[in-house]
Amino acid sequence: MDGTRMELVIPLRAEFVSIARLTLSGVANRAGFDFDTIEDIKVALSEVCNRLIGDAAGLDGRRPGGGEFGAEPPDCKIEFLLSKRDLTLNFRVGAPDGPELAAFESDMEDDSALGLSLISVLMDEFDLNPEAGCVVSMRKYLENE
Amino acid sequence: MSSGLTIKEKEEESAVQIEIGGEVDIYTCQELKDKLYQCVDQSGKDLVLDCRNLNYIDSTGLGVFVAVLKKVKLIDRQITIVNLKESILKLFLITKLDLLFAIKRGEVAHSEAK
């Protein structure tokens, strides 16, 4: 299982978040996480998607600096990296032919703050803007390692 | 696309029992909010949210619970949450929402929930 990489691309729309959760369930189960931990990671994944959907909608088809997403929401690419020690999720967002969404802002309020606090507790590592093109990265360790 | 959310309502003498099942997320939370608001407006009674069949909730769903609690408090009523699964109860504890809601632990039958 070491070094296995998978990728899911979904439209950044509310109705597709459940598909991302289903995919995650399969991947995390394969990695050897128990049921409760898989439920925790599912919540963390959804919280990131919720925020990114909010960001994309809030931009009203435009990103700061002028690039346009157009009528369709951008895609969200979720990368699953499996190792013997952990599962890492990387999120990238971009219009099919356009620029990537600027950032996963850290100055969250209200429900977003609730979501951020959940991610912080449920995941072992959580990075905002960890590298160019990647808006969020988070990691969960396998307990037996 | 199927919403994955089920809501069953049963009005009793002093409270409205609402059984929430499936998943409450960014896609289904508005449907839940509309239904709960409607129950509050129409009945004016306490709400008992039976979550025995609720498999998943995130911050969007928790936000709906808080919004409905605010609405219920305006008419001096209350919300009781029963039969939460452990994985979901954990989210209430992390966010400290267990301090806002009356949560009954363990298996609670409909007639005991008020």
Side-chain angles (χ1 to χ4, degrees), chain B residues 26-77:
Chain B
I26 189 171
Y27 185 52
T28 59
C29 65
Q30 190 61 47
E31 180 184 348
L32 178 65
K33 187 175 184 179
D34 292 345
K35 183 64 183 176
L36 294 180
Y37 270 29
Q38 185 186 43
C39 286
V40 175
D41 288 337
Q42 290 181 351
S43 75
K45 296 179 179 175
D46 293 344
L47 297 188
V48 177
L49 306 182
D50 187 338
C51 298
R52 73 184 64 218
N53 293 316
L54 180 62
N55 298 319
Y56 174 86
I57 194 168
D58 61 25
S59 67
T60 59
L62 296 175
V64 168
F65 278 22
V66 171
V68 176
L69 180 65
K70 285 180 183 172
K71 188 172 176 66
V72 163
K73 292 284 186 190
L74 288 176
I75 56 170
D76 206 23
R77 292 293 177 178

Side-chain angles (χ1 to χ4, degrees), chain A residues 11 13 20 30 37 40 42 45 47 51 56 62 69 75 83 85 103-106 112-113 118 124 127 137-138 140 145:
Chain A
R13 292 209 302 259
R30 172 65 66 182
T37 307
D40 291 349
K42 280 165 65 178
L45 174 142
E47 295 301 343
R51 176 64 194 195
R62 289 183 169 272
F69 285 131
D75 285 338
S83 78
R85 295 176 54 246
F104 190 99
E105 299 293 341
S106 57
S112 294
L118 285 174
D124 293 321
D127 292 328
S137 179
M138 55 191 191
K140 189 74 176 178
E145 290 298 323

Side-chain angles (χ1 to χ4, degrees), chain B residues 90-106:
Chain B
K90 180 179 179 178
L91 303 182
F92 279 82
L93 298 176
I94 290 171
T95 54
K96 298 192 177 359
L97 290 179
D98 60 310
L99 304 175
L100 283 182
F101 291 93
I103 297 176
K104 288 197 176 180
R105 308 285 293 269

